[in-house]
Amino acid sequence: MNTEYIRVDNNKSCNEYIKRAGEIIRQGGLVAFPTETVYGLGGDALNRASARKIYEAKGRPSDNPLIVHIASLDDLPRIAESVPESACRLAERFWPGPLTMIFKKKDTVPEETTGGLKTVAVRMPGHETALSFIRAAGGFVAAPSANRSGRPSPTTGERVLEDMNGRIEMILDGGPSQIGLESTILDLSGCSTGNGADEPPMILRPGYVTEEMLREVIGGVRYDRTVFEKADAGLRPKAPGMKYRHYAPFGTLRIVKGDRDAVISYIREAAQEARAAGKRVGILACDTEDKGYEADLVLRIGSLSDEAEIARSLYESFRTCDDQKIDLIYSEEFMTKRLGHAIMNRLLKAAGHEVIEV
Ligand code: AMP
Ligand code: MG
Protein backbone atom coordinates (compact mmCIF):
# COMPACT_ATOMS: atom_id res chain seq x y z
CA MET A 1 0.00 0.00 0.00
CA ASN A 2 1.22 3.49 -0.86
CA THR A 3 0.98 5.84 2.15
CA GLU A 4 0.15 9.42 1.20
CA TYR A 5 2.03 11.94 3.38
CA ILE A 6 0.34 15.33 3.65
CA ARG A 7 1.51 18.38 5.60
CA VAL A 8 -1.46 20.22 7.06
CA ASP A 9 -1.88 23.29 9.14
CA ASN A 10 -5.01 25.12 10.02
CA ASN A 11 -5.29 27.26 6.89
CA LYS A 12 -8.02 26.79 4.33
CA SER A 13 -5.92 25.14 1.61
CA CYS A 14 -5.80 22.01 3.78
CA ASN A 15 -9.54 21.51 3.82
CA GLU A 16 -9.45 19.45 0.65
CA TYR A 17 -6.96 17.04 2.18
CA ILE A 18 -8.89 16.76 5.41
CA LYS A 19 -12.03 16.01 3.43
CA ARG A 20 -10.20 13.30 1.55
CA ALA A 21 -8.81 11.89 4.79
CA GLY A 22 -12.38 11.74 6.14
CA GLU A 23 -13.50 9.94 3.00
CA ILE A 24 -10.77 7.31 3.50
CA ILE A 25 -12.12 6.62 7.01
CA ARG A 26 -15.73 6.40 5.76
CA GLN A 27 -14.60 3.81 3.24
CA GLY A 28 -12.94 1.69 5.90
CA GLY A 29 -9.33 2.87 5.50
CA LEU A 30 -6.82 4.22 8.05
CA VAL A 31 -5.38 7.73 8.47
CA ALA A 32 -2.86 8.93 11.07
CA PHE A 33 -3.54 12.44 12.34
CA PRO A 34 -2.09 14.99 14.77
CA THR A 35 -3.58 15.68 18.20
CA GLU A 36 -2.30 17.77 21.08
CA THR A 37 -1.18 14.64 22.99
CA VAL A 38 0.48 12.31 20.45
CA TYR A 39 -0.33 11.24 16.86
CA GLY A 40 -3.36 8.97 16.50
CA LEU A 41 -3.95 6.10 14.07
CA GLY A 42 -7.57 6.59 13.03
CA GLY A 43 -10.23 4.28 11.65
CA ASP A 44 -14.05 4.26 11.73
CA ALA A 45 -14.92 3.43 15.35
CA LEU A 46 -18.31 2.03 14.40
CA ASN A 47 -16.96 -0.34 11.75
CA ARG A 48 -15.59 -3.63 13.10
CA ALA A 49 -13.46 -4.24 10.00
CA SER A 50 -11.74 -0.86 10.48
CA ALA A 51 -10.97 -1.67 14.10
CA ARG A 52 -9.43 -4.97 13.04
CA LYS A 53 -7.26 -3.13 10.51
CA ILE A 54 -5.98 -0.81 13.26
CA TYR A 55 -4.81 -3.76 15.36
CA GLU A 56 -3.15 -5.27 12.32
CA ALA A 57 -1.36 -2.06 11.27
CA LYS A 58 -0.03 -1.55 14.79
CA GLY A 59 0.66 -5.21 15.55
CA ARG A 60 -1.43 -4.57 18.67
CA PRO A 61 -2.93 -7.38 20.78
CA SER A 62 -6.67 -7.44 20.06
CA ASP A 63 -7.64 -7.31 23.75
CA ASN A 64 -6.28 -3.78 24.02
CA PRO A 65 -9.21 -1.39 23.45
CA LEU A 66 -9.13 1.75 21.30
CA ILE A 67 -10.12 5.27 22.33
CA VAL A 68 -13.03 6.70 20.32
CA HIS A 69 -12.49 10.32 19.30
CA ILE A 70 -15.45 12.63 18.84
CA ALA A 71 -15.77 16.27 17.77
CA SER A 72 -19.07 17.20 19.39
CA LEU A 73 -20.56 16.54 22.80
CA ASP A 74 -23.90 15.87 21.10
CA ASP A 75 -22.38 12.68 19.67
CA LEU A 76 -21.52 11.19 23.08
CA PRO A 77 -24.97 9.64 23.77
CA ARG A 78 -24.74 7.72 20.48
CA ILE A 79 -21.92 5.59 21.88
CA ALA A 80 -22.16 5.87 25.69
CA GLU A 81 -25.00 4.06 27.48
CA SER A 82 -25.06 6.25 30.52
CA VAL A 83 -23.24 9.53 31.04
CA PRO A 84 -22.99 10.47 34.72
CA GLU A 85 -23.43 14.07 35.68
CA SER A 86 -19.81 14.23 36.83
CA ALA A 87 -18.73 13.40 33.26
CA CYS A 88 -20.74 16.33 31.91
CA ARG A 89 -18.93 18.66 34.28
CA LEU A 90 -15.56 17.21 33.30
CA ALA A 91 -16.38 17.52 29.60
CA GLU A 92 -17.38 21.13 30.10
CA ARG A 93 -14.08 21.86 31.84
CA PHE A 94 -11.58 19.71 29.89
CA TRP A 95 -13.01 19.03 26.41
CA PRO A 96 -11.72 19.55 23.85
CA GLY A 97 -8.54 18.43 25.61
CA PRO A 98 -6.28 15.65 26.92
CA LEU A 99 -8.84 13.74 29.02
CA THR A 100 -10.31 10.35 28.06
CA MET A 101 -13.40 9.13 29.91
CA ILE A 102 -14.68 5.55 30.06
CA PHE A 103 -18.42 4.81 29.97
CA LYS A 104 -20.68 1.78 29.55
CA LYS A 105 -20.98 1.36 25.81
CA LYS A 106 -23.95 1.21 23.48
CA ASP A 107 -24.35 -1.55 20.89
CA THR A 108 -23.43 0.95 18.15
CA VAL A 109 -19.79 0.43 19.17
CA PRO A 110 -18.54 -2.99 18.04
CA GLU A 111 -16.57 -5.08 20.53
CA GLU A 112 -13.65 -5.07 18.08
CA THR A 113 -13.24 -1.37 18.91
CA THR A 114 -13.41 -1.95 22.66
CA GLY A 115 -11.21 -5.05 22.74
CA GLY A 116 -14.18 -7.15 23.82
CA LEU A 117 -15.14 -4.87 26.73
CA LYS A 118 -18.65 -3.58 27.50
CA THR A 119 -17.22 -0.12 28.13
CA VAL A 120 -15.95 2.51 25.71
CA ALA A 121 -13.20 5.13 26.14
CA VAL A 122 -14.03 8.53 24.61
CA ARG A 123 -12.07 11.72 24.05
CA MET A 124 -12.54 15.02 22.25
CA PRO A 125 -9.04 16.16 21.22
CA GLY A 126 -7.98 19.79 21.60
CA HIS A 127 -6.56 20.20 18.11
CA GLU A 128 -8.29 21.96 15.22
CA THR A 129 -7.04 19.64 12.49
CA ALA A 130 -8.07 16.60 14.53
CA LEU A 131 -11.56 17.99 15.09
CA SER A 132 -12.07 18.86 11.40
CA PHE A 133 -10.84 15.43 10.41
CA ILE A 134 -13.16 13.65 12.88
CA ARG A 135 -16.13 15.62 11.51
CA ALA A 136 -15.12 14.80 7.93
CA ALA A 137 -14.83 11.12 8.92
CA GLY A 138 -18.40 10.93 10.21
CA GLY A 139 -17.88 11.82 13.87
CA PHE A 140 -16.45 8.65 15.48
CA VAL A 141 -12.77 7.90 14.95
CA ALA A 142 -11.13 5.04 16.86
CA ALA A 143 -7.52 5.98 17.37
CA PRO A 144 -4.74 4.49 19.44
CA SER A 145 -1.33 6.11 19.27
CA ALA A 146 0.13 5.82 15.77
CA ASN A 147 3.18 3.69 16.69
CA ARG A 148 3.90 0.03 16.07
CA SER A 149 2.85 -1.79 19.22
CA GLY A 150 5.36 -1.49 22.07
CA ARG A 151 7.24 1.42 20.48
CA PRO A 152 7.25 4.95 21.88
CA SER A 153 4.24 6.98 20.76
CA PRO A 154 5.03 9.29 17.84
CA THR A 155 5.04 13.04 18.46
CA THR A 156 5.87 14.07 14.88
CA GLY A 157 4.58 13.08 11.45
CA GLU A 158 8.04 11.79 10.47
CA ARG A 159 8.00 9.31 13.35
CA VAL A 160 4.57 8.09 12.27
CA LEU A 161 5.94 7.54 8.77
CA GLU A 162 8.82 5.52 10.23
CA ASP A 163 6.36 3.07 11.84
CA MET A 164 3.41 3.13 9.45
CA ASN A 165 4.78 3.62 5.93
CA GLY A 166 3.03 1.16 3.62
CA ARG A 167 0.58 0.07 6.33
CA ILE A 168 -2.02 2.85 6.18
CA GLU A 169 -3.60 5.03 3.48
CA MET A 170 -2.60 8.49 4.69
CA ILE A 171 -0.63 10.50 7.26
CA LEU A 172 -1.65 14.06 8.10
CA ASP A 173 1.44 15.85 9.41
CA GLY A 174 0.47 18.77 11.65
CA GLY A 175 3.88 19.40 13.20
CA PRO A 176 5.16 18.35 16.65
CA SER A 177 2.61 17.43 19.35
CA GLN A 178 2.19 20.13 21.96
CA ILE A 179 1.90 17.86 25.01
CA GLY A 180 3.79 14.75 23.94
CA LEU A 181 2.22 12.26 26.38
CA GLU A 182 -1.06 10.39 25.94
CA SER A 183 -4.28 11.59 27.54
CA THR A 184 -5.29 11.05 31.15
CA ILE A 185 -7.73 8.09 31.28
CA LEU A 186 -10.52 8.29 33.85
CA ASP A 187 -12.89 5.36 34.35
CA LEU A 188 -16.43 6.55 35.09
CA SER A 189 -18.14 3.34 34.05
CA GLY A 190 -18.84 2.40 37.67
CA CYS A 191 -20.58 5.70 38.41
CA SER A 192 -24.35 5.86 38.34
CA THR A 193 -26.12 8.56 36.37
CA GLY A 194 -27.74 9.93 39.52
CA ASN A 195 -25.97 12.16 41.98
CA GLY A 196 -24.39 9.40 44.05
CA ALA A 197 -21.47 7.54 42.52
CA ASP A 198 -21.46 3.79 43.08
CA GLU A 199 -17.74 3.52 42.55
CA PRO A 200 -15.41 6.50 42.70
CA PRO A 201 -13.91 7.51 39.37
CA MET A 202 -10.51 5.90 38.83
CA ILE A 203 -7.45 7.19 36.97
CA LEU A 204 -6.19 4.34 34.79
CA ARG A 205 -3.45 6.37 33.13
CA PRO A 206 -2.05 9.70 34.36
CA GLY A 207 -1.65 12.52 31.85
CA TYR A 208 -1.69 16.25 31.42
CA VAL A 209 -4.98 16.55 33.31
CA THR A 210 -3.83 15.77 36.85
CA GLU A 211 -5.56 14.20 39.85
CA GLU A 212 -5.79 17.66 41.45
CA MET A 213 -7.46 19.15 38.37
CA LEU A 214 -10.03 16.34 38.36
CA ARG A 215 -10.66 16.68 42.10
CA GLU A 216 -11.41 20.36 41.68
CA VAL A 217 -14.30 19.48 39.39
CA ILE A 218 -15.72 16.20 40.78
CA GLY A 219 -14.19 15.63 44.20
CA GLY A 220 -12.88 12.14 45.00
CA VAL A 221 -10.85 10.23 42.44
CA ARG A 222 -8.34 7.46 42.99
CA TYR A 223 -5.54 5.80 41.04
CA ASP A 224 -5.56 2.29 39.68
CA ARG A 225 -2.64 0.71 41.60
CA THR A 226 -0.91 -0.52 38.46
CA VAL A 227 -0.28 3.07 37.38
CA PHE A 228 2.88 3.01 39.51
CA GLU A 229 3.31 -0.60 40.57
CA LYS A 230 4.51 -3.40 38.36
CA ALA A 231 1.58 -5.45 37.08
CA ASP A 232 1.81 -9.20 37.62
CA ALA A 233 -0.47 -12.19 38.00
CA GLY A 234 -1.93 -10.79 41.21
CA LEU A 235 -2.28 -7.19 40.04
CA ARG A 236 -4.06 -6.62 36.75
CA PRO A 237 -4.40 -3.11 35.33
CA LYS A 238 -7.96 -1.97 34.54
CA ALA A 239 -6.75 -0.47 31.26
CA PRO A 240 -5.74 -3.63 29.36
CA GLY A 241 -3.09 -1.70 27.45
CA MET A 242 -1.17 -0.87 30.59
CA LYS A 243 -0.17 -4.49 31.15
CA TYR A 244 2.16 -4.58 28.19
CA ARG A 245 5.77 -3.35 28.16
CA HIS A 246 5.21 -0.12 26.48
CA TYR A 247 6.49 3.14 25.11
CA ALA A 248 9.87 1.49 25.01
CA PRO A 249 13.13 2.07 23.17
CA PHE A 250 14.88 -1.03 21.78
CA GLY A 251 17.76 -0.74 24.25
CA THR A 252 17.54 -1.61 27.94
CA LEU A 253 16.39 1.34 30.00
CA ARG A 254 17.25 1.82 33.68
CA ILE A 255 16.05 4.62 35.91
CA VAL A 256 18.47 5.84 38.56
CA LYS A 257 16.85 7.40 41.59
CA GLY A 258 18.02 9.04 44.78
CA ASP A 259 20.08 11.92 46.05
CA ARG A 260 21.13 14.17 43.15
CA ASP A 261 24.91 13.82 43.54
CA ALA A 262 24.68 10.09 44.14
CA VAL A 263 22.62 9.69 40.97
CA ILE A 264 25.14 11.63 38.92
CA SER A 265 28.13 9.68 40.16
CA TYR A 266 26.32 6.33 39.77
CA ILE A 267 25.38 7.09 36.17
CA ARG A 268 28.89 8.33 35.35
CA GLU A 269 30.51 5.17 36.64
CA ALA A 270 27.93 2.76 35.28
CA ALA A 271 28.14 4.36 31.83
CA GLN A 272 31.92 4.09 31.85
CA GLU A 273 31.82 0.41 32.83
CA ALA A 274 29.21 -0.48 30.26
CA ARG A 275 31.14 1.26 27.50
CA ALA A 276 34.30 -0.53 28.55
CA ALA A 277 32.33 -3.74 28.13
CA GLY A 278 31.56 -2.74 24.53
CA LYS A 279 28.01 -1.43 24.97
CA ARG A 280 26.65 1.69 23.31
CA VAL A 281 25.35 3.78 26.17
CA GLY A 282 22.83 6.62 26.27
CA ILE A 283 21.97 8.95 29.16
CA LEU A 284 18.73 10.88 29.65
CA ALA A 285 19.20 13.86 31.92
CA CYS A 286 17.36 16.96 32.93
CA ASP A 287 18.74 20.50 33.18
CA THR A 288 21.31 21.98 30.88
CA GLU A 289 24.28 22.10 33.23
CA ASP A 290 27.23 19.83 32.54
CA LYS A 291 27.17 16.90 34.97
CA GLY A 292 30.29 15.35 33.52
CA TYR A 293 28.35 12.58 31.78
CA GLU A 294 30.26 10.71 29.12
CA ALA A 295 28.39 8.33 26.87
CA ASP A 296 27.69 7.57 23.22
CA LEU A 297 24.65 9.80 23.49
CA VAL A 298 23.76 12.28 26.24
CA LEU A 299 20.29 13.80 25.86
CA ARG A 300 19.23 16.70 28.03
CA ILE A 301 15.51 16.38 27.62
CA GLY A 302 14.42 19.49 29.48
CA SER A 303 14.81 21.48 32.61
CA LEU A 304 13.09 20.51 35.86
CA SER A 305 11.61 24.00 35.93
CA ASP A 306 9.95 23.40 32.55
CA GLU A 307 8.25 20.04 32.94
CA ALA A 308 6.20 20.54 29.76
CA GLU A 309 9.45 20.40 27.84
CA ILE A 310 10.38 17.08 29.46
CA ALA A 311 6.95 15.63 28.64
CA ARG A 312 7.21 16.85 25.05
CA SER A 313 10.67 15.39 24.45
CA LEU A 314 10.49 12.06 26.32
CA TYR A 315 9.32 9.82 23.45
CA GLU A 316 11.48 11.58 20.89
CA SER A 317 14.48 10.94 23.15
CA PHE A 318 13.68 7.19 23.19
CA ARG A 319 13.51 7.18 19.41
CA THR A 320 16.77 9.13 19.13
CA CYS A 321 18.42 6.42 21.24
CA ASP A 322 17.12 3.87 18.75
CA ASP A 323 18.42 5.91 15.79
CA GLN A 324 21.85 5.80 17.43
CA LYS A 325 21.63 2.06 18.15
CA ILE A 326 21.99 2.54 21.89
CA ASP A 327 22.07 -0.77 23.86
CA LEU A 328 21.75 0.58 27.38
CA ILE A 329 20.14 3.79 28.61
CA TYR A 330 20.49 5.31 32.06
CA SER A 331 17.83 7.86 32.89
CA GLU A 332 17.54 10.26 35.77
CA GLU A 333 14.19 10.42 37.53
CA PHE A 334 11.88 13.23 36.39
CA MET A 335 9.48 13.54 39.28
CA THR A 336 8.39 17.07 38.46
CA LYS A 337 5.68 18.94 40.32
CA ARG A 338 2.63 18.69 38.11
CA LEU A 339 3.35 16.28 35.27
CA GLY A 340 5.72 14.06 37.27
CA HIS A 341 3.19 11.24 37.66
CA ALA A 342 2.48 11.13 33.94
CA ILE A 343 6.14 11.35 32.94
CA MET A 344 7.28 8.73 35.47
CA ASN A 345 4.43 6.35 34.60
CA ARG A 346 5.67 6.23 30.96
CA LEU A 347 9.33 6.04 31.98
CA LEU A 348 8.64 3.19 34.44
CA LYS A 349 6.66 1.22 31.86
CA ALA A 350 9.39 1.77 29.27
CA ALA A 351 11.98 0.55 31.78
CA GLY A 352 9.90 -2.49 32.76
CA HIS A 353 10.07 -0.96 36.28
CA GLU A 354 13.88 -1.37 36.43
CA VAL A 355 14.77 1.25 39.02
CA ILE A 356 18.19 1.51 40.65
CA GLU A 357 17.98 3.27 44.00
CA VAL A 358 21.26 4.87 45.04
P1 AMP B 1 -3.62 4.39 23.21
O1 AMP B 1 -4.76 4.60 22.29
O2 AMP B 1 -2.39 3.86 22.60
O3 AMP B 1 -3.38 5.63 24.00
O4 AMP B 1 -4.15 3.30 24.20
C1 AMP B 1 -5.43 3.40 24.72
C2 AMP B 1 -5.39 3.07 26.17
O5 AMP B 1 -6.74 3.19 26.67
C3 AMP B 1 -4.95 1.64 26.44
O6 AMP B 1 -4.13 1.60 27.58
C4 AMP B 1 -6.27 0.94 26.70
O7 AMP B 1 -6.12 -0.20 27.49
C5 AMP B 1 -7.10 2.03 27.37
N1 AMP B 1 -8.54 1.83 27.17
C6 AMP B 1 -9.25 2.07 26.05
N2 AMP B 1 -10.54 1.72 26.22
C7 AMP B 1 -10.67 1.24 27.48
C8 AMP B 1 -11.74 0.72 28.24
N3 AMP B 1 -12.97 0.60 27.73
N4 AMP B 1 -11.48 0.31 29.51
C9 AMP B 1 -10.25 0.43 30.04
N5 AMP B 1 -9.18 0.92 29.36
C10 AMP B 1 -9.38 1.32 28.10
MG1 MG C 1 -0.39 3.71 22.66
Side-chain angles (χ1 to χ4, degrees):
M1 180 189 305
N2 179 35
T3 301
E4 230 185 318
Y5 191 88
I6 310 283
R7 280 174 217 283
V8 286
D9 46 33
N10 292 329
N11 71 31
K12 290 229 163 60
S13 63
C14 295
N15 286 352
E16 270 315 298
Y17 290 118
I18 290 174
K19 239 170 93 183
R20 210 161 83 216
E23 196 52 42
I24 291 172
I25 300 291
R26 287 170 191 267
Q27 289 175 2
L30 304 183
V31 176
F33 62 101
T35 81
E36 80 282 30
T37 58
V38 299
Y39 274 72
L41 174 55
D44 182 352
L46 309 186
N47 177 344
R48 53 185 88 239
S50 297
R52 272 192 225 111
K53 276 192 202 170
I54 292 178
Y55 290 108
E56 205 179 296
K58 275 183 68 92
R60 177 169 173 133
S62 61
D63 69 342
N64 188 358
L66 311 173
I67 294 173
V68 180
H69 291 68
I70 59 174
S72 159
L73 203 49
D74 294 341
D75 287 336
L76 183 57
R78 277 196 54 200
I79 52 175
E81 181 60 57
S82 51
V83 179
E85 194 264 332
S86 51
C88 300
R89 274 186 282 144
L90 289 169
E92 199 174 301
R93 172 75 179 75
F94 296 116
W95 279 4
L99 175 68
T100 296
M101 293 190 270
I102 296 177
F103 306 102
K104 294 196 180 81
K105 80 170 188 74
K106 279 206 170 134
D107 289 342
T108 30
V109 188
E111 288 200 359
E112 278 80 354
T113 297
T114 62
L117 298 177
K118 302 282 180 213
T119 52
V120 61
V122 189
R123 177 166 106 86
M124 190 191 295
H127 192 291
E128 278 312 313
T129 304
L131 292 171
S132 311
F133 161 65
I134 294 164
R135 279 184 214 110
F140 302 93
V141 174
S145 50
N147 50 285
R148 295 273 295 155
S149 193
R151 302 276 296 127
S153 302
T155 55
T156 65
E158 288 86 357
R159 292 303 191 183
V160 178
L161 187 67
E162 208 173 272
D163 279 20
M164 291 297 158
N165 197 10
R167 301 181 151 268
I168 61 179
E169 276 79 2
M170 189 188 262
I171 297 169
L172 297 173
D173 176 351
S177 310
Q178 263 173 22
I179 293 178
L181 296 179
E182 303 84 350
S183 58
T184 305
I185 301 182
L186 185 70
D187 188 355
L188 293 156
S189 62
C191 301
S192 68
T193 43
N195 289 333
D198 303 323
E199 265 177 50
M202 194 189 271
I203 299 173
L204 307 189
R205 179 173 73 185
Y208 185 85
V209 176
T210 62
E211 183 188 8
E212 293 72 33
M213 289 158 81
L214 296 169
R215 274 181 198 281
E216 272 176 29
V217 182
I218 56 165
V221 293
R222 58 196 170 110
Y223 275 108
D224 182 23
R225 273 177 60 203
T226 59
V227 166
F228 304 110
E229 287 173 45
K230 191 171 181 168
D232 57 30
L235 189 62
R236 262 170 53 115
K238 281 198 75 184
M242 302 299 275
K243 71 175 176 268
Y244 298 105
R245 180 170 185 246
H246 224 128
Y247 317 122
F250 290 127
T252 303
L253 171 63
R254 297 211 170 105
I255 302 166
V256 186
K257 177 178 170 177
D259 173 70
R260 185 178 176 281
D261 291 341
V263 166
I264 294 172
S265 59
Y266 180 92
I267 292 180
R268 279 163 54 169
E269 275 171 37
Q272 200 179 13
E273 269 173 36
R275 292 178 86 200
K279 292 213 163 93
R280 283 183 61 75
V281 177
I283 297 175
L284 305 186
C286 54
D287 297 325
T288 44
E289 83 201 79
D290 188 0
K291 294 172 180 163
Y293 287 146
E294 279 177 34
D296 298 284
L297 181 67
V298 179
L299 291 174
R300 300 195 174 86
I301 70 167
S303 121
L304 279 184
S305 59
D306 183 2
E307 52 182 357
E309 189 192 357
I310 297 178
R312 234 179 355 251
S313 18
L314 186 69
Y315 288 140
E316 186 56 30
S317 74
F318 291 170
R319 285 186 180 248
T320 307
C321 287
D322 291 345
D323 294 343
Q324 305 275 325
K325 310 243 173 325
I326 297 297
D327 308 301
L328 178 59
I329 305 163
Y330 288 103
S331 175
E332 296 178 354
E333 192 190 30
F334 308 112
M335 195 56 217
T336 61
K337 228 166 125 192
R338 217 186 64 78
L339 296 179
H341 285 317
I343 295 168
M344 286 312 296
N345 167 263
R346 307 315 192 270
L347 197 61
L348 281 163
K349 290 265 186 282
H353 287 259
E354 285 284 336
V355 181
I356 299 161
E357 301 212 22
V358 292

